[in-house]
Amino acid sequence: MTLTAGTEIPFIRLDPITQPQLRRYADASGDHNAIHLDEEVAKSMGLPGVIAHGMLSAGFLGERALRAVLDEAGRNDLHMTRLQTRFKSMVQLGDQISVGGVVKEATPERVVLDLSAKNQKDEIVTVATAEFSL
Amino acid sequence: MSDIKSFIGREAPITPYHATEEKLKAFCAAVGAKYRGEAPPTFMAVLLPGMFKLLDEIGIPLSAVLHTDQEYCYKQPILPNDRLTYVTKLVKALEKQSKTGSMKFMVFETSVTASRAGGSDIEVGACKTTIITRD
């Protein structure tokens, strides 16, 4: 893949979200908010059930960005300088997330990617902008 | 609870975090990322407990919090065995009343420094976290 403005970053479909996965993320990140781990608490807060950490889908997007630039485009000379994520809608257990996007800007010194995470209904759950520089 | 705006400027105490290789690898595994010898892009999420401490002091239960935006700036990679110190500060706060109760909007900023054996302290990056809470 060559990084030019408009180049598509193919969507990669991930495995469905599971409770052990949220437990693993909670342990690795230190975010033990019960809305991610306990269905009763989640429901008492007016949620449909346990929801995934927003930062989990942000993590998927960060990895998609690195994979596109470092692995697929082979630009090991670039470093991520900024990652901005916005959580648009909730991710529930069983949801199957896909991550991909498009190259927004590309010069020899700087690359900007616009990425999104979508669920199995093609609804956008998280959007991200990742910037890379030399 | 007093006016949320009165908490603007409040900082959580400086907190240490030892970024061992084991923790970096566990974080990568949790987000399905390849371990590339340094912290993955969203690793600074491990520093959210700084915000949790402030929320606790303000009297907001974590279960009422919805994370809406997260931004990271990277100056230097976080490497295995880095000893991170970080300070989280409430920089913006608004409260709106509605028929169903009150809604708060808050922005926290965190600056992150790493110390390495035999070297001086390095500013590795910064985080900006936006949340809303419902009563």
Side-chain angles (χ1 to χ4, degrees):
Chain A
M1 183 168 82
T2 316
L3 298 172
T4 50
T7 305
E8 266 189 52
I9 299 160
F11 276 83
I12 296 178
R13 187 165 239 218
L14 307 173
D15 290 335
I17 302 289
T18 64
Q19 189 63 76
Q21 182 181 23
L22 299 187
R23 163 62 62 189
R24 198 157 58 235
Y25 184 79
D27 290 341
S29 67
D31 183 348
H32 291 96
N33 189 336
I35 63 171
H36 307 305
L37 301 169
D38 185 326
E39 183 160 354
E40 270 180 41
V41 173
K43 285 187 169 162
S44 76
M45 294 310 295
L47 298 167
V50 163
I51 61 164
H53 302 75
M55 287 310 299
L56 179 60
S57 47
F60 297 156
L61 289 165
E63 173 63 9
R64 185 70 194 93
L66 286 184
R67 218 201 266 199
V69 172
L70 304 182
D71 303 339
E72 292 163 19
R75 289 295 306 272
N76 288 301
D77 54 330
L78 293 174
H79 301 275
M80 195 182 285
T81 50
R82 181 186 292 267
L83 179 70
Q84 212 172 344
T85 53
R86 170 160 286 185
F87 308 110
K88 311 280 273 185
S89 120
M90 292 181 286
V91 174
Q92 293 179 249
L93 288 181
D95 279 356
Q96 199 163 10
I97 302 302
S98 303
V99 283
V102 68
V103 178
K104 190 184 175 193
E105 278 178 58
T107 66
E109 301 81 31
R110 190 177 124 91
V111 170
V112 182
L113 311 181
D114 271 344
L115 300 160
S116 59
K118 297 175 180 175
N119 64 19
Q120 64 283 0
K121 292 176 240 162
D122 221 28
E123 295 160 341
I124 291 179
V125 294
T126 307
V127 291
T129 303
E131 296 180 18
F132 292 80
S133 293
L134 285 176
Chain B
M1 191 193 302
S2 50
D3 183 1
I4 188 71
K5 285 186 178 165
S6 67
F7 293 100
I8 294 173
R10 184 176 285 225
E11 289 183 354
I14 295 175
T15 316
Y17 183 95
H18 187 195
T20 60
E21 186 168 52
E22 190 188 352
K23 283 178 187 161
L24 299 182
K25 285 183 173 169
F27 194 94
C28 283
V31 298
K34 182 165 129 185
Y35 177 59
R36 294 177 160 90
E38 60 182 63
T42 59
F43 184 74
M44 286 190 277
V46 302
L47 311 180
L48 279 172
M51 177 183 82
F52 300 160
K53 257 182 233 161
L54 281 176
L55 288 170
D56 187 49
E57 281 180 33
I58 299 169
I60 294 170
L62 209 47
S63 55
V65 169
L66 277 183
H67 195 172
T68 64
D69 290 84
Q70 181 66 51
E71 191 177 335
Y72 295 116
C73 290
Y74 311 102
K75 295 192 171 137
Q76 289 292 329
I78 294 173
L79 300 176
N81 226 20
D82 273 358
R83 293 188 180 269
L84 305 177
T85 50
Y86 66 102
V87 181
T88 299
K89 184 177 181 175
L90 177 64
V91 294
K92 217 183 226 185
L94 286 174
E95 184 159 15
K96 284 183 183 166
Q97 299 296 331
S98 72
K99 280 175 196 164
T100 51
S102 82
M103 196 178 94
K104 295 180 190 71
F105 162 91
M106 285 177 260
V107 181
F108 297 85
E109 284 179 359
T110 302
S111 57
V112 187
T113 304
S115 340
R116 285 175 196 155
S120 53
D121 288 359
I122 308 157
E123 209 185 331
V124 287
C127 325
K128 186 173 163 185
T129 307
T130 306
I131 60 159
I132 54 173
T133 73
R134 291 197 183 86
D135 283 354

